[in-house]
Amino acid sequence: MDFVSILVVFGVVIFSMVLHEMAHAYMAYFLGDTTAKDEGRLSPNPLVHLDPMMSVLVPLLLFMTGGVIFGGAKPVPINTRNLKGGAWGMALVGFAGPLLNVILAFVSFLIGHFTGLMYESGVVALIFQYMVTANLGFFAFNMIPIPPLDGSRILYAIAPDGVRGLMEKMERTTGIFIVLLLVMFFGTALAQVTSTVVMAIWKFFYLIVGIQL
């Protein structure tokens, strides 16, 4: 593991995480809630978004141990009473972050593929490769439907009241600890699942440009 690769991953993680959180904040603002805006979460400043453990340490540790890169950041503050669309509005806010990661991955893939830069050696190639892999990893991880991960917002919108009550309780109490336990004790299995999702989307990207792997 060389220092340059670690710096590249660190830069990609920070950049991708910040845009992910900004996507949540802008969607909430678009749907009528100014809470995130009032707390400065529309800003590109990494310091207002990132969590030292989930945004930096976890992704870097996974990278250094060969796992798929994923992580999280500080939750974007939302006042659901101001949000248009109720639970579906919250689902849109939740999905905005992972969708942004897929868009970043796809744009990076297109630029890297058609310029050939992704297939060269050196730092530039690493940037393109990790922009795709890391962002797809963020998408796969954050779509897990466990509160407070983004996938839980979508599940909440379609779940019956009893399940919603359980999810609300988990988010207030044990949700983040369950996520951390999954990463700590089932990291290998989790990495295998997310790796499968990442590789499937990689293949789909290639299929779009006319290459079948």
Side-chain angles (χ1 to χ4, degrees):
M1 186 59 56
D2 62 274
F3 183 66
V4 172
S5 295
I6 293 175
L7 283 180
V8 169
V9 172
F10 183 77
V12 167
V13 165
I14 297 299
F15 176 75
S16 302
M17 282 288 185
V18 168
L19 292 186
H20 175 107
E21 295 305 316
M22 288 177 65
H24 287 315
Y26 272 100
M27 180 59 76
Y29 183 64
F30 176 76
L31 292 175
D33 180 35
T34 64
T35 307
K37 177 181 181 295
D38 295 340
E39 296 195 15
R41 297 300 296 273
L42 301 183
S43 169
N45 179 5
L47 297 179
V48 303
H49 298 291
L50 301 181
D51 174 76
M53 174 68 74
M54 291 300 295
S55 306
V56 180
L57 186 59
V58 168
L60 287 177
L61 285 175
L62 289 169
F63 168 70
M64 288 187 287
T65 56
V68 174
I69 303 167
F70 48 74
K74 295 176 184 176
V76 171
I78 306 291
N79 186 339
T80 54
R81 289 176 294 181
N82 298 331
L83 203 64
K84 298 174 185 175
W88 284 106
M90 194 64 198
L92 287 174
V93 173
F95 188 58
L99 177 62
L100 190 279
N101 289 126
V102 173
I103 293 171
L104 281 176
F106 186 53
V107 170
S108 299
F109 170 80
L110 291 178
I111 295 172
H113 175 72
F114 285 111
T115 62
L117 293 172
M118 190 166 61
Y119 309 113
E120 302 289 338
S121 59
V123 174
V124 175
L126 283 177
I127 292 173
F128 279 104
Q129 291 163 12
Y130 288 134
M131 277 294 293
V132 178
T133 302
N135 274 287
L136 293 182
F138 290 150
F139 168 79
F141 178 69
N142 279 286
M143 287 303 291
I144 296 172
I146 299 175
L149 298 180
D150 299 325
S152 68
R153 312 299 183 193
I154 300 170
L155 176 61
Y156 185 88
I158 62 175
D161 290 341
V163 176
R164 286 184 175 188
L166 177 62
M167 293 176 70
E168 290 170 355
K169 184 176 181 180
M170 284 179 64
E171 181 152 10
R172 292 193 303 268
T173 55
T174 60
I176 188 60
F177 297 106
I178 293 174
V179 172
L180 290 173
L181 287 173
L182 279 174
V183 173
M184 291 173 60
F185 295 105
F186 301 97
T188 301
L190 192 59
Q192 290 175 346
V193 173
T194 54
S195 180
T196 300
V197 174
V198 168
M199 292 308 299
I201 303 176
W202 260 107
K203 290 180 180 180
F204 181 66
F205 285 174
Y206 273 109
L207 194 61
I208 290 174
V209 298
I211 299 175
Q212 187 168 359
L213 300 179

